[in-house]
Amino acid sequence: MKKFDPCSSNRISREVPVGPVIHKMDKMLSRNIAAQMRAAGMDEITLMHGWIIRYLYEKREEEIFQKDIEKFFSIGRSTVTNIIQLMERNGYIARESVPGDARLKKVKLTDKGIINHEMVEAFITRLDRELIRGITEEELNTFYTVMDKIRGNLRCDQTAGEEEEHAACIVERSKGI
C-alpha cells in the first residue's frame, strides 16, 4: 500500500486505503479552517463550537437540550457539558430552565452567538466555493453519493451489537442502498 501524502501534488491512488484518506483530508480541512479563522480574528471559537452554534442557529425555533446536541454530533455527555460550559462563559449560548422541570435546561444562542454564526457562515460559504473549485457538478454528485454510502456502511458497523438495526443495515447493503 502506498502512503498518502496530503501535501504532494500526486493523485490519491486507489492503492491507498479509504479510511486514512478521509482522516487526513479531515485533518487538512480542520487545519485550513483553523488557520483562516485565526487570520480573520475569529479563533476564540473551536470548530466543534462553530458546528454547535450552527446547529443551534438552524434549530433556534425549537427547544434544544444537551441530549439533542450529544445525539446529533455523536459525542459523549461529559464532552458536551464541557463545551456548553465554555461557550456559556464566552457568551455564545445561554441555558434556560424549563417550566415544570428544574433539572432540564434549554440551550439557546445569545445575540453574540447569532452574530458569530452569521460571520462564520459567510466564511464557510467562501471556503466551500474554494473547496469545489474545478469540480464539475457530476463529480460533486458522485462525491456525495460515495460519502453517503460510506456513512451508511459506518452506521451499519456501529449497530453491530443491536441485532434488529444491524439486520436492517445488512438488508439495505444487499439492496445496494
Side-chain angles (χ1 to χ4, degrees), residues 91-137:
Y92 293 104
I93 64 167
R95 289 186 280 186
E96 297 178 1
S97 296
V98 175
D101 191 344
R103 297 168 300 165
L104 224 55
K105 301 221 184 277
K106 293 187 286 190
V107 181
K108 298 184 77 163
L109 284 179
T110 61
D111 289 341
K112 181 179 179 180
I114 291 169
I115 290 167
N116 178 271
H117 167 74
E118 291 168 351
M119 287 173 37
V120 169
E121 198 61 31
F123 166 79
I124 298 231
T125 299
R126 284 190 310 277
L127 177 64
D128 201 51
R129 280 195 306 265
E130 291 174 23
L131 288 172
I132 62 172
R133 185 178 46 233
I135 299 173
T136 67
E137 194 65 31

